[in-house]
Amino acid sequence: MIAFRGFPRRLIPWALGGALALLAVISVPSMLQHDTVVQIRVAHNGTNLPDGFYLYQQLSAQGVRIKSITPAGDALVIHFENEEQSLAAQKVLRRLLPQGFVVASGPQASQQVPDANRPTYS
C-alpha cells in the first residue's frame, strides 16, 4: 500500500470501482461489435480458390464494401461491416462464381480462423 500513501483509505474501494467501470465502458463496445463474415470454399477437390483481389474488385464494382478478404486454409473469409453488405455480396458471389464453390455465411463461416501468415486484401 506504499503507492496509496496520502490517499484516504475510505476512497480506495471507490477508486478501484471507478477504474473497473471505466475499463468496462472501454472494452464492452469492442466485444459486442462483430464482423459479418462470408466464407468461400471449394466443393470438389482439384478446384482452386478464386483470387481474393479479383473478388475484391468485382464486389467493389457492385458497390459492396469489404473490410478484408483473408485466405484461411482451404477457404477465403470475407469480412463486412454489416449484414446488408454481406447479403449483397452473397448475391454477387453466387452469380459470379461457377458451380463448385460454396458460399456460406453466419456462425459456421466465422468459426474459421484466418492464418496470420497469409495476406489480407482490403
Side-chain angles (χ1 to χ4, degrees), residues 33-38 63-67 78-90:
Q33 181 182 5
H34 60 86
D35 289 341
T36 305
V37 176
V38 171
V64 178
R65 291 186 308 274
I66 300 167
K67 287 179 79 175
I78 307 173
H79 295 266
F80 302 93
E81 291 185 11
N82 56 44
E83 187 70 26
E84 180 181 296
Q85 294 297 307
S86 173
L87 293 173
Q90 289 177 54

Side-chain angles (χ1 to χ4, degrees), residues 93-112:
L93 289 170
R94 288 194 175 108
R95 280 190 321 238
L96 181 67
L97 296 174
Q99 295 294 327
F101 290 98
V102 178
V103 178
S105 66
Q108 72 273 14
S110 62
Q111 289 174 356
Q112 184 78 16

Side-chain angles (χ1 to χ4, degrees), residues 2 6 10 12 21 25 28-29 33 38-39 41-42 44 46 51 54-55 64-65 71 84 91 101 105 107 121:
I2 295 174
R10 61 185 161 85
I12 292 175
V25 166
V28 167
Q33 181 182 5
V38 171
Q39 183 183 73
R41 290 178 279 123
V42 292
H44 308 291
D51 181 51
Y54 170 75
L55 293 178
V64 178
R65 291 186 308 274
E84 180 181 296
K91 289 178 185 176
F101 290 98
S105 66
Y121 308 101

